[in-house]
Amino acid sequence: GGGGVVGLLQRLGRLEDSRQRAAELFRWLVAPVAPAEFLGRHWERAPLLVRRGDPGYYAGLFSTADFDAALRGGEVHFGTHLDVTSYAEGVRETHNPSGRALPAVVWDFYQNGCSLRLLNPQAFSPTVWHLLSILQERFGSMAGANTYLTPPGTQGFAPHYDDIEAFVLQLEGKKRWRVYSPRTEAEVLPQFSSANLTQAELGEPVLETVLEAGDLLYFPRGFIHQGNCLPDAHSLHITVSSYQRNSWGDLLEKLLPAALQMALEEDVEYRQGLPMDYLGYMGVTNSDAVDARRTAFMEKVQSLIKKLIDYAPIDAAVDQRAKSFLHDCLPPVLTQSEKVQSVYGFPARWQDGGPCDVDILITKDTEVRLLRHGIVRLCNEEAGVMLYYTTENSRVYHKEEPKFLEIDPEYTDSIEFLLSSYPNHVSVDTLPCETLEDKISLATLLFEKGILTTKKPLVQV
């Protein structure tokens, strides 16, 4: 269908299930390659180039006019939201003044051959926000973005690799890209981005291409890349990123200390003292010695490590990862009908000298459901049962503290029931709470936080 990206997002809004929306948007992102083929052959493995021959494929997502409007809005500041960069004769420089990025100053930099990187375009563009807020549910990991505007015949950045999975969407103009394989085993799927690299440190590119409007280039973390503009055209692209610090190792960083803590509390073997004379035969100095005590010591350490798995609270560690993901998340973008059926469209107002339509009247027959599947997470913590949620997050990364409600443990079944019945509506009466009063009070609390929507608007305006 037509309507560019805005039309696509509207069509996705008609799908009842947010997981289906996310899957369809991901399908659009890598099309015409099938998602299963992409995940099997390219994800974390190899770059993918998609030439679409369709300059309007990303129409309405973000443009140089949107860039200019963001500058005129007065909220863009150098360093925080905008970087001015150049790369010439092997030297990468940043030219950020301090303070607000005024159009006259920014466009002067551009005119003099500098590249402009707008960080966090989702804070300035409702369409970018909408796109990322849907995609993040597909990845189960934060989806971020930067936009890059480069003048003709220039390059803004030195070759480097990143710690994210990168999807480069060419929005306007064209740009030449060179992509190189990771140089060593240690640089495959790295935890952190590299410093700037020199041309001498690179081998031959595994991919060299000119991206045109509508094209897509994907490369995994660890693949070195550089882009430069041809003499005859500027370039505007947006890089959508995900999977930063989202590896098995990152999960184990949470899990192992927790497992050790539980083992120390529950198993006396972990609390028994080390042998009195162990310093005499262990350590690097003694590493070449043949000694039965060394063998016994090594075996003891191995057996304690193996036994740790019995104490590993795997689900709890996953919940802690999920909790930080929910803090990273963008808040959901509501469709018109979702707004009307949620607290955000509730018509409470001041009228004729007093407040009007203030009471949220939920009854046992009110039909409710979660606004999205991925917006809540129940976590058992020392302080109690916490329900983390994303509806009150900011469009700016971590501008707000994590949002959570402390939930009466008796309500956990009802939260799980709402998650398992999604995307269907259920009547408040069917929530597995003790009393009708509890059912209504839980539904009201979740409605007020924007977590629940009702099948019909609560107040007919």
Side-chain angles (χ1 to χ4, degrees):
V5 174
V6 176
L8 167 75
L9 295 171
Q10 280 172 347
R11 290 194 296 281
L12 292 178
R14 295 200 278 273
L15 295 173
E16 283 296 306
D17 191 330
S18 60
R19 294 164 295 188
Q20 202 184 340
R21 289 181 201 178
E24 286 302 316
L25 186 57
F26 184 68
R27 180 185 302 283
W28 168 87
L29 180 68
V30 297
V33 177
E37 184 190 341
F38 172 79
L39 293 169
R41 295 181 56 180
H42 297 279
W43 179 249
E44 293 193 326
R45 288 186 181 84
L48 169 71
L49 168 66
V50 176
R51 288 191 188 290
R52 295 203 175 96
D54 177 3
Y57 196 76
Y58 304 124
L61 176 54
F62 194 82
S63 65
T64 37
D66 294 328
F67 209 125
D68 188 55
L71 296 176
R72 289 173 188 288
E75 297 295 316
V76 180
H77 286 76
F78 288 112
T80 314
H81 311 112
L82 184 75
D83 285 328
V84 178
T85 67
S86 65
Y87 178 76
E89 294 169 12
V91 180
R92 149 90 155 83
E93 289 183 273
T94 302
H95 308 277
N96 293 341
S98 59
R100 198 181 133 192
L102 293 161
V105 179
V106 174
W107 294 127
D108 185 54
F109 273 124
Y110 176 84
Q111 202 165 277
N112 284 305
C114 290
S115 280
L116 307 174
R117 170 169 64 180
L118 184 65
L119 309 154
N120 210 35
Q122 57 272 29
F124 307 101
S125 159
T127 315
V128 176
W129 166 29
H130 197 167
L131 180 103
L132 298 178
S133 73
I134 297 175
L135 265 185
Q136 66 194 5
E137 193 166 349
R138 177 68 187 83
F139 289 125
S141 171
M142 179 186 139
N146 287 329
T147 54
Y148 299 82
L149 180 61
T150 314
T154 67
Q155 180 169 333
F157 292 87
H160 65 282
Y161 62 75
D162 291 314
D163 58 350
I164 45 103
E165 300 300 299
F167 296 84
V168 176
L169 285 58
Q170 187 70 28
L171 304 175
E172 293 176 12
K174 49 190 176 181
K175 194 171 218 181
R176 176 187 286 117
W177 285 88
R178 295 185 190 90
V179 181
Y180 309 78
S181 290
R183 299 169 300 173
T184 63
E185 203 54 41
E187 289 181 1
V188 174
L189 303 179
Q191 267 192 302
F192 304 102
S193 298
S194 72
N196 293 329
L197 304 171
T198 64
Q199 295 299 143
E201 293 174 274
L202 313 178
E204 287 301 306
V206 287
L207 191 151
E208 186 166 356
T209 188
V210 174
L211 280 194
E212 302 199 13
D215 292 347
L216 169 79
L217 174 62
Y218 158 80
F219 42 84
R221 49 199 195 277
F223 276 76
I224 298 163
H225 51 278
Q226 60 179 333
N228 65 292
C229 267
L230 304 170
D232 60 338
H234 78 284
S235 165
L236 177 71
H237 78 264
I238 186 165
T239 299
V240 172
S241 61
S242 193
Y243 259 61
Q244 188 175 46
R245 303 299 305 270
N246 198 39
S247 67
W248 287 103
D250 294 303
L251 173 65
L252 290 174
E253 270 184 356
K254 281 255 189 287
L255 181 59
L256 292 178
L260 188 55
Q261 194 56 48
M262 288 180 81
L264 280 163
E265 284 169 21
E266 293 180 21
D267 188 335
V268 70
E269 200 180 350
Y270 289 87
R271 302 195 299 272
Q272 286 167 346
L274 291 159
M276 279 189 191
D277 57 350
Y278 83 104
L279 295 177
Y281 54 84
M282 295 308 298
V284 176
T285 320
N286 305 303
S287 57
D288 292 333
V290 178
D291 188 322
R293 295 171 303 171
R294 279 185 63 79
T295 311
F297 192 96
M298 295 290 202
E299 284 170 357
K300 177 74 170 180
V301 171
Q302 283 171 0
S303 93
L304 288 173
I305 288 174
K306 277 190 188 130
K307 202 158 66 147
L308 259 190
I309 196 64
D310 300 336
Y311 299 100
I314 297 172
D315 285 316
V318 167
D319 284 341
Q320 289 305 304
R321 297 271 321 158
K323 163 182 154 181
S324 42
F325 165 50
L326 259 64
H327 187 207
D328 295 344
C329 274
L330 284 161
V333 177
L334 274 60
T335 65
Q336 214 39 55
S337 66
E338 284 171 341
K339 201 169 276 185
V340 172
Q341 292 150 359
S342 77
V343 71
Y344 298 108
F346 198 76
R349 64 203 178 282
W350 182 274
Q351 191 175 323
D352 301 331
C356 176
D357 283 333
V358 176
D359 297 331
I360 292 171
L361 297 172
I362 287 176
T363 70
K364 69 182 181 65
D365 299 319
T366 307
E367 292 186 84
V368 295
R369 68 166 220 176
L370 292 173
L371 172 67
R372 300 271 190 287
H373 189 268
I375 58 169
V376 291
R377 189 79 186 194
L378 269 175
C379 293
N380 268 319
E381 299 186 347
E382 277 179 32
V385 180
M386 304 299 176
L387 182 71
Y388 289 86
Y389 62 97
T390 66
T391 50
E392 293 175 2
N393 283 4
S394 162
R395 283 160 69 176
V396 175
Y397 179 69
H398 286 194
K399 188 177 179 184
E400 304 280 337
E401 291 298 309
K403 302 295 179 206
F404 63 91
L405 298 165
E406 188 171 349
I407 292 282
D408 189 317
E410 289 169 17
Y411 286 159
T412 54
D413 287 350
S414 294
I415 307 280
E416 286 166 3
F417 176 66
L418 287 163
L419 274 163
S420 63
S421 18
Y422 181 88
N424 301 315
H425 289 83
V426 294
S427 68
V428 169
D429 199 26
T430 59
L431 294 177
C433 296
E434 292 275 305
T435 66
L436 179 59
E437 192 186 349
D438 284 345
K439 297 175 190 204
I440 290 174
S441 91
L442 176 63
T444 306
L445 173 68
L446 297 178
F447 182 83
E448 285 173 349
K449 290 293 178 191
I451 295 167
L452 282 191
T453 58
T454 54
K455 192 167 189 176
K456 296 192 181 98
L458 285 178
V459 180
Q460 301 298 331
V461 184

